[in-house]
Amino acid sequence: MKYVVNNKESELERERESLHALVAMYGLQHPIVIKQSEILDELINRYNRIFLRHLQTK
């Protein structure tokens, strides 16, 4: 389980950094930035589901 969480955390961090770079280049309202934000939101939701499932099994 720890590997899955650490892997997701790394993925989240990469996508977050990508979002920040895109915002710096295009601003907040550009379609590319909005798409990247949606990708990051989905990853956060997946991470939260995994984390909650882990808490429920304890």
Side-chain angles (χ1 to χ4, degrees), residues 2-37:
K2 191 170 198 132
Y3 171 75
V4 171
V5 171
N6 287 339
N7 187 31
K8 289 292 181 195
E9 288 174 353
S10 297
E11 188 177 8
L12 283 170
E13 184 61 24
R14 279 192 310 272
E15 296 298 340
R16 185 190 66 78
E17 289 173 1
S18 177
L19 178 61
H20 282 262
L22 289 170
V23 167
M25 284 191 295
Y26 299 108
L28 290 173
Q29 298 300 317
H30 195 280
I32 292 173
V33 173
I34 293 169
K35 181 63 178 171
Q36 181 61 27
S37 178

